[in-house]
């Protein structure tokens, strides 16, 4: 497995985890009494995943000299 394929797999895993967290956050916030601290932690993790996804996507793009 070359580096490009490994990056694609890691990117797919991160996107999947990001979607799962989105679902968990939605379900948690729909319940009447919910743990605000847990919700904040989940949102923080989701933002960290988004940053990792953006970093991997930028690494996968070829460098273009302008």
């Amino acid at each position: 497995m070359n580096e490009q394929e490994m990056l694609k797999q890691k990117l797919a895993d991160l996107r999947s985890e990001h979607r799962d967290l989105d679902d968990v956050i939605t379900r948690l916030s729909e319940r009447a009494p919910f743990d605000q601290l847990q919700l904040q932690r989940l949102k923080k993790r989701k933002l960290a995943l988004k940053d990792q996804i953006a970093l991997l996507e930028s690494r996968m793009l070829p460098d273009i000299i302008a």
Side-chain angles (χ1 to χ4, degrees):
M1 188 179 256
N2 66 24
E3 183 182 353
Q4 193 74 4
E5 290 172 354
M6 289 173 39
L7 287 175
K8 285 181 182 179
Q9 182 60 46
K10 179 71 174 172
L11 189 58
D13 292 344
L14 290 174
R15 285 179 175 156
S16 176
E17 186 178 350
H18 187 269
R19 272 191 311 272
D20 292 345
L21 271 176
D22 197 33
D23 292 340
V24 169
I25 289 169
T26 301
R27 279 188 266 120
L28 183 64
S29 61
E30 287 174 349
R31 292 190 301 187
F34 60 88
D35 185 1
Q36 187 67 32
L37 183 60
Q38 181 184 16
L39 189 63
Q40 287 176 336
R41 287 179 180 158
L42 290 171
K43 286 182 177 182
K44 188 173 183 177
R45 173 69 180 146
K46 186 179 166 193
L47 285 174
L49 285 172
K50 185 176 180 181
D51 290 342
Q52 288 179 336
I53 290 168
L55 179 66
L56 282 179
E57 286 175 339
S58 69
R59 285 180 57 192
M60 291 177 67
L61 293 176
D63 290 334
I64 299 174
I65 300 173

